[in-house]
Structures are given as C-alpha cells and as structure tokens.
C-alpha cells in the first residue's frame, strides 16, 4: 500500500485539531460550569441543557458528583486541600472535553472563588461559561433532595456548604439563574441563549 | 411558559443517556488503549486512526503525555506509585469519554499489566480495546524521536522503560501491531478493522 509520504500527506494534515472536530459538529467546545448550593438545581438545569442541546444535534457531556467522585476522584475526601484538588481535576477534565469539541456541563457546588477562577484560567477566553445557580439557602434546604441538609443540621455531616462551611458566590458569572423563580426549562433556555450569544452554539 | 410536568415530559425523557448520544453519532463510545515502548509509534498510529475515523464522521479524542502530564496529572512524578496513579486517572478519563459516546485513543507507555487491567476492569466488556504497539527495542531506540533513549543510556533519565525499567507486554491484546513491519496507515487500518468487528464503528 502507499505510504503517507507517497500520498504526499503531510503530518499537518494527519493530526486532527480541535477546529476540525468543531467543523464536523457545527458547534464549539466549551466548559459550562454550574456552581451553587446543594439543592440549588445545578444537576437539574444541566440535564435540561443537555437534553435541549441534544435535540439540536449538539454533543454534550455532564460531569457531576455521581461520575467523578466514584471514579476519577475516588481517592479524595472533603478536607479543604482535597476539595481544591477535586475542583482542579474537574477543571482539567473539562478542558480536555472542550479541546475535543464537546460542550461539557459541570455541576459541582464548587464553593470557592479561587478554585473556580483557576478552572477558568486554564482555558482560553470564551471557552469557560460560569453559571451561578442561585437559590436562597432556605429554598435549597427545603428541597433537600438528598437529605443532606437534615444530616448537616444534625451534625452528622461536618463542613457542609451553606450550613457549616462558606459558599462564595460568583462576582461576575456569565449567567445568573434564580431557580426559586424560574422553572428548570426557563433556566436552561437562559444558559443556551448565552451559549448562542457567545457563538458556542448556532442561534436558532 | 409550560413546565416539564405540563408538557408531560418525564424525568426519564429529560436525562440524556449514553445510547442517545451514540444514536446521534452513529457509532459507539470506546477506549482504545495503545501501549508500547517509547518510540514504538503509539501516538503516530493514534493520530492516523483519529484522522481516518474523523473522515468517517466519527468523534475521537486523543489523550497522551502532552495533554495529560501537563494538565490533569501535573502533580505526579515517575515513581512507581505515581505511575500507577497516572494510569488510574487516565483510565477514569477514558471511561468518561466512552460514557459520552466518544472513541478515546489513549497513547501511553503504560508498562504494567496490572495497571492496564485495572483500566480495563472499570469499563464494560467490549468498551476497552487494548492495542499492543510492538516494535523491537532496537528499532524504537534507533527512532528515538524525543532523544529519550540517549538520555536514558547516559543515565540522565532513571527508570526508563525498556532500558532500566521493565515493560510488561500484553498477553491477550485485542490488536497486536508490528510497527517495524507496517506503515502507520496499515497499523491504523488494522485498529479500525477491529473496531468494525467489535461493532464500535460501522463497517465500510
């Protein structure tokens, strides 16, 4: 058979770059970082965004506690250094998905500004979209989908964000949702509108 | 606006699953794990596989030392425990890409059978394709694309696989390439043939 050299195929032609994949997909890769209290609706909104984008033929990947804490970060606990390392790795995995043209939706409490800013800094401008999933603590605690607030109030879970550990709200998020006043679909549409405005997905 | 409940949208309908993405892509997600000596041709063959699959509209992601050691695993060195953790994390990231329908091509020396088997075990049967990129040490050392063998022979790099550290060849790899006798394209075609036979990509 002919070799690459014989077919005059240059190395530049062989290596697939991010833009090649983005052209195939007809959308850009990006990290959409959902931050907020437990029970604020991060995963729910991310699920709706993924569904709506999927119906447009957009490639998404949801990373959350379920697939990260039990896998990649199963060696980490909840001490401050472990929380920082947890978010550092998640940010790096998000960057990888971005670099291969997938819109990655990351749903983690991620309570510290410094950790989120580090995740933003490792990506190019316009590749990182911070979504503040804002709900009053009382609303989030009332929802308590996993029963964690109850355990935190009982002292069974130490250092629980919002109860016994701080949550540092984003100062300039790309999107600021109010899930106590919006349905998940309305929230998801607001996120997608921002992705359109930033040229990450085509406007409809 | 209508809520999910009003539209009779069930939660099951909202959550995007792996098979939804695979239907959109018209191919399955899978991890293709290239193992072999430095200079055996792992990255070169992976690049060709990615290019050929891209031309078929298949979504790929290449993970290698360049994008892993400088990012996710920039906290790890080359001591045995660090090497094992390096491979563990790479295997978990591969599993994530698989779960979102992307064919991930992982090119790492990964010299230990136990580490590779652990990476295989965390994925479902048929989702992990081990490719032994086999070249005699003398050939790999003659190629020495990064000048690493020269440094290893001079004692500048300690614990270098093939010189001063062991390489444990796969016992039953899905694909066994001989890059001293095959062009990169021939090797890539052999990998793609296996992906077709396993039902990961459609046969052509």
């Amino acid at each position: 058979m002919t070799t690459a050299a014989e077919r005059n195929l240059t190395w530049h032609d062989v290596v697939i770059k991010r833009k090649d994949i983005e052209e195939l997909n007809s959308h850009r890769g990006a990290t959409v970082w959902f931050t907020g209290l437990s029970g604020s609706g991060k995963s729910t909104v991310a699920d709706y965004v993924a569904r709506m984008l999927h119906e447009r033929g957009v490639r998404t990947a949801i990373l959350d506690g379920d697939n990260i804490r039990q896998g990649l970060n199963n060696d980490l606990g909840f001490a401050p250094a472990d929380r920082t390392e947890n978010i550092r790795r998640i940010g790096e995995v998000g960057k990888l998905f971005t670099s291969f043209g997938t819109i990655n939706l990351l749903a983690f409490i991620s309570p510290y500004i410094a950790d989120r800013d580090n995740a933003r800094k490792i990506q190019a401008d316009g590749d990182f979209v911070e979504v503040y999933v804002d709900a009053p603590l009382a609303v989030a605690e009332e929802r308590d989908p996993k029963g964690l607030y109850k355990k935190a109030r009982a002292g069974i879970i130490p250092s629980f964000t919002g109860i016994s550990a701080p949550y540092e709200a984003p100062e300039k998020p790309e999107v600021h949702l109010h899930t106590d006043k919006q349905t998940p679909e309305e929230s998801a549409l607001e996120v997608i509108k921002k992705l359109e405005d930033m040229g990450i997905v085509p406007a409809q």
Side-chain angles (χ1 to χ4, degrees), chain A:
Chain A
M1 72 179 293
T2 56
T3 64
E6 286 164 349
R7 286 179 43 212
N8 200 25
L9 195 62
T10 65
W11 192 246
H12 177 78
D13 292 329
V14 170
V15 177
I16 294 291
K17 297 190 191 313
R18 174 177 168 185
K19 69 171 177 50
D20 297 318
I21 300 173
E22 290 179 338
E23 283 174 14
L24 179 67
N25 286 346
S26 300
H27 62 81
R28 281 177 43 208
T31 289
V32 184
W33 190 291
F34 296 85
T35 174
L37 296 174
S38 178
S40 62
K42 299 179 297 299
S43 287
T44 303
V45 176
D47 281 335
Y48 273 85
V49 170
R51 162 59 60 185
M52 292 175 181
L53 289 180
H54 180 77
E55 286 167 1
R56 297 186 185 192
V58 170
R59 272 72 186 175
T60 59
I62 293 184
L63 305 183
D64 58 21
D66 287 341
N67 58 12
I68 291 291
R69 277 280 183 185
Q70 294 173 22
L72 178 65
N73 291 355
N74 65 10
D75 58 324
L76 300 175
F78 292 86
D82 280 9
R83 282 175 182 262
T84 291
E85 174 65 4
N86 180 52
I87 297 301
R88 184 192 73 80
R89 291 187 200 168
I90 290 161
E92 292 285 358
V93 173
K95 181 182 178 181
L96 288 171
F97 274 95
T98 296
S99 73
F100 295 108
T102 295
I103 295 182
N104 48 103
L105 310 168
L106 278 49
F108 298 92
I109 297 172
S110 50
Y112 301 119
I113 289 175
D115 293 345
R116 296 193 305 267
D117 280 354
N118 284 334
R120 179 190 291 272
K121 277 178 201 155
I122 62 172
Q123 299 210 42
D125 281 351
D127 283 352
F128 189 94
V129 183
E130 189 172 15
V131 178
Y132 178 22
V133 186
D134 191 1
L137 175 62
V139 172
E141 186 167 358
E142 172 67 24
R143 292 175 181 160
D144 204 9
K146 299 173 189 167
L148 298 175
Y149 283 99
K150 195 167 285 183
K151 288 183 182 171
R153 290 288 184 194
I156 299 169
I157 304 177
S159 299
F160 192 77
T161 301
I163 303 296
S164 46
Y167 177 78
E168 298 174 1
E171 290 165 355
K172 284 189 173 182
E174 274 77 5
V175 181
H176 186 158
L177 304 174
H178 297 272
T179 61
D180 55 327
K181 298 168 190 161
Q182 298 173 296
T183 67
E185 280 179 300
E186 287 168 337
S187 294
L189 283 170
E190 192 171 332
V191 173
I192 291 172
K193 178 69 168 58
K194 173 59 70 172
L195 299 182
E196 291 178 349
D197 291 347
M198 292 175 71
I200 293 168
V201 299
Q204 277 199 332

